[in-house]
Amino acid sequence: MENRVIIGGQWGDEGKGKIVDSLSRKVDWVIRFQGGANAGHTIYVGDQKHVLHLVPSGILHEGVLGFLGGGMVVDPWSLRDEILALEQKDISVRDRLLVSATAHLVMPFHKRLDELRESRLKRKSIGTTGRGIGPAYLDKVQRTGLRMGDLLLPRENLERKAIEKILTANEVLCQFYEADPVPAKVLAEELVVLAQFLAPMIVNPYEALRPVRDGIASALFEGAQGTLLDVDHGTFPFVTSSNSTIGGVLTGTGLPPRSLGEIIGIFKAYCTRVGNGPFMSELLGDQGDQLRDAGGEYGATTGRARRCGWFDLVAARYAADINGMTGVIITKLDVLDKMSTVRVATGYDLDGEELTTYPVLSEALPRCKPIFRDFPGWEKPTSECRRLTDLPANARKYLEFLEQELGVHIQGISVGKEREAMIWTETGVST
Ligand code: GDP
Ligand code: IMO
Ligand code: MG
């Protein structure tokens, strides 16, 4: 079976979790490679809802192995709680989840620093998830962070090392932010207990992923966030702190390019963004509210209302190009079922000039006004459709337009949150 990479094509929350779940039934490994508990991937199995933040979405299939790659920042407190919550639902995790020893730890002081930094930025805040992601990656690149492998140290060494890091963080908390320190001894002791729980899962990634590298085991790579939140390629500075685009798979796993296989971009049939920053095709007012209500657009991690807008073809083409997408999946088509008109941003007006290619520079993006093309809505339910031919003609026309303009086959269309609410296509949607 060919490996697959699942990448978010927009600003996250495209429905990656549902698609990873759908595609991972027969794979050996589902591998996360970047991000941390800022991700919120929602999957419905029958009536049961699962929201996964760190554990890969494939874990819901018996026998599938999960891997947390070294490109991630892992909050060991959250990881333990997520594992225990799944085990409460009779989903075994500990015996089939491995964590790279090179993944960095998110400590409670990272979360505190995340919050304090955001409140200091006031109106210019990023609107982070508050999961300590930026500060943890900062500790990684300034080469001061703790890593998963440190949890394998003898107890006294781990405790000493943790206390040292916490005391340094306390200096920043107290002196720079004039905030309270976090309790060093208590947290170090908690970390020692967590280390005992997590130690059996912590592995050398070079050895553990050898079967994938050798092509003996199949892998599905589960991206978190989305292309426009990538620290290098997204709407900087309103981005996350990792590479959520294709390069992140290589650096975040240590696997070679030949292990990647198909690169599948996930796009909603419209657009959402949670947090601050430019959103070129955003709908404000009633229309935005209508989309939010129809799509249930509230954050899986923070519960925040997501900003909503029409499909942005300019940004989507950019995402398809820079990731080298070999296929795309369009999700939440059913959310548009009641719209009398469906719009697509096919270009931007930048200071009176029409752009059809993504301008990349953050200075330009907030000034880009969308140029819309209108499509008649289909005004019929699509959630029971399972074949392309079941879809209303106007829905097919809309998808054909997206496929032609993206220049990449639409391999699947999701028409509901349930596992089975999918239309798979062999050769795309265009006739
Ligand atoms: P992710 O972060 O990319 O995994 O996406 P989220 O789970 O944060 O958000 C996607 C939301 O849309 C979840 O609540 C899913 O259950 C839901 N969802 C996914 N696909 C569909 C779909 O095709 N139709 C509808 N109505 N909901 C969907
Ligand atoms: P999934 O995997 C949507 C956004 C935050 C904020 C910015 C930086 O569910 O698609 P961070 O906490 O990472 O420092 O926040 O990125 N963000 C997401 N938005 N889905 C996500 O993940 C996100 N993870 C981070 O809202 O704007
Ligand atoms: Mg999400």
Side-chain angles (χ1 to χ4, degrees):
M1 185 195 288
E2 192 172 13
N3 292 346
R4 292 186 175 115
V5 183
I6 299 297
I7 297 272
Q10 297 157 324
W11 280 287
D13 300 328
E14 297 90 349
K16 299 176 294 292
K18 174 191 157 159
I19 301 301
V20 169
D21 173 70
S22 299
L23 293 176
S24 57
R25 199 158 49 90
K26 291 190 184 145
V27 302
D28 297 312
W29 289 91
V30 178
I31 302 175
R32 279 275 310 265
F33 51 89
Q34 45 71 233
N38 48 349
H41 298 172
T42 317
I43 300 141
Y44 283 85
V45 181
D47 289 339
Q48 212 175 27
K49 177 180 176 181
H50 305 276
V51 183
L52 300 174
H53 300 285
L54 287 165
V55 175
S57 302
I59 210 82
L60 302 180
H61 296 287
E62 252 175 63
V64 171
L65 301 170
F67 195 86
L68 305 189
M72 292 185 70
V73 287
V74 179
D75 176 338
W77 283 264
S78 300
L79 181 58
R80 179 206 44 205
D81 293 348
E82 202 170 314
I83 291 170
L84 292 177
L86 284 164
E87 290 184 350
Q88 284 266 310
K89 298 192 218 172
D90 282 335
I91 298 163
S92 75
V93 181
R94 264 177 277 188
D95 52 338
R96 53 198 182 96
L97 180 69
L98 299 180
V99 187
S100 170
T102 60
H104 275 251
L105 295 191
V106 177
M107 297 287 288
F109 60 77
H110 289 130
K111 292 205 246 181
R112 192 77 193 100
L113 288 167
D114 194 357
E115 282 164 22
L116 289 165
R117 192 168 171 277
E118 284 283 275
S119 51
R120 208 181 160 87
L121 284 170
K122 300 199 180 86
R123 268 190 325 108
K124 291 186 179 157
S125 72
I126 293 168
T128 70
T129 60
R131 296 297 187 269
I133 304 300
Y137 276 114
L138 181 62
D139 262 342
K140 169 176 167 164
V141 293
Q142 71 183 4
R143 297 159 293 183
T144 49
L146 287 167
R147 305 206 292 179
M148 271 290 160
D150 290 320
L151 300 185
L152 303 176
L153 288 170
R155 183 196 166 108
E156 294 73 31
N157 299 17
L158 170 60
E159 208 170 321
R160 199 174 331 111
K161 198 166 177 179
I163 287 180
E164 198 184 295
K165 301 286 177 201
I166 300 167
L167 291 178
T168 309
N170 276 344
E171 284 177 23
V172 181
L173 284 173
C174 300
Q175 288 170 21
F176 186 73
Y177 288 105
E178 296 175 349
D180 291 334
V182 291
K185 183 93 179 117
V186 174
L187 289 177
E189 279 168 8
E190 280 183 33
L191 199 60
V192 167
V193 176
L194 284 165
Q196 284 165 356
F197 180 90
L198 295 172
M201 288 173 254
I202 301 171
V203 292
N204 166 349
Y206 175 51
E207 294 302 340
L209 294 180
R210 191 181 291 280
V212 178
R213 187 179 311 108
D214 292 347
I216 296 163
S218 60
L220 191 148
F221 300 93
E222 177 176 4
Q225 290 80 55
T227 299
L228 302 172
L229 286 172
D230 182 286
V231 66
D232 290 300
H233 306 291
T235 51
F236 188 88
F238 300 99
V239 290
T240 190
S241 301
S242 66
N243 285 117
S244 45
T245 51
I246 193 68
V249 189
L250 302 179
T251 51
T253 60
L255 287 166
R258 67 162 188 275
S259 302
L260 300 187
E262 286 181 63
I263 300 163
I264 304 177
I266 314 297
F267 295 87
K268 268 181 208 176
Y270 50 99
C271 239
T272 63
R273 164 160 215 173
V274 58
N276 302 328
F279 183 171
M280 293 68 78
S281 61
E282 183 167 16
L283 281 172
L284 300 166
D286 287 353
Q287 278 190 303
D289 295 346
Q290 206 185 331
L291 257 181
R292 184 176 312 109
D293 289 346
E297 295 295 354
Y298 295 90
T301 299
T302 57
R304 289 179 290 177
R306 295 175 182 151
R307 297 157 64 192
C308 296
W310 295 117
F311 193 92
D312 183 339
L313 196 53
V314 186
R317 226 185 268 122
Y318 167 72
D321 285 345
I322 67 164
N323 288 296
M325 289 175 186
T326 57
V328 305
I329 293 176
I330 303 289
T331 62
K332 304 190 89 161
L333 185 74
D334 55 299
V335 173
L336 303 181
D337 284 353
K338 293 195 175 131
M339 305 282 170
S340 52
T341 303
V342 174
R343 311 185 88 183
V344 177
T346 53
Y348 302 144
D349 177 329
L350 177 62
D351 308 330
E353 204 185 315
E354 185 176 338
L355 293 186
T356 50
T357 58
Y358 186 77
V360 175
L361 282 184
S362 351
E363 289 73 28
L365 289 168
R367 301 203 312 278
C368 285
K369 304 274 172 290
I371 300 170
F372 287 121
R373 172 159 169 178
D374 288 0
F375 290 81
W378 41 98
E379 299 183 87
K380 289 193 186 83
T382 55
S383 52
E384 301 295 323
C385 299
R386 296 292 176 267
R387 288 169 308 176
L388 261 186
T389 47
D390 297 339
L391 284 174
N394 283 349
R396 288 189 67 172
K397 281 189 196 138
Y398 176 63
L399 294 169
E400 279 171 22
F401 176 76
L402 296 186
E403 179 170 89
Q404 278 154 17
E405 292 293 316
L406 283 173
V408 183
H409 278 163
I410 295 179
Q411 296 187 338
I413 302 136
S414 175
V415 290
K417 60 185 176 3
E418 306 77 16
R419 261 184 181 169
E420 56 287 355
M422 280 302 296
I423 297 172
W424 294 107
T425 72
E426 290 282 319
T427 53
V429 297
S430 302
T431 41

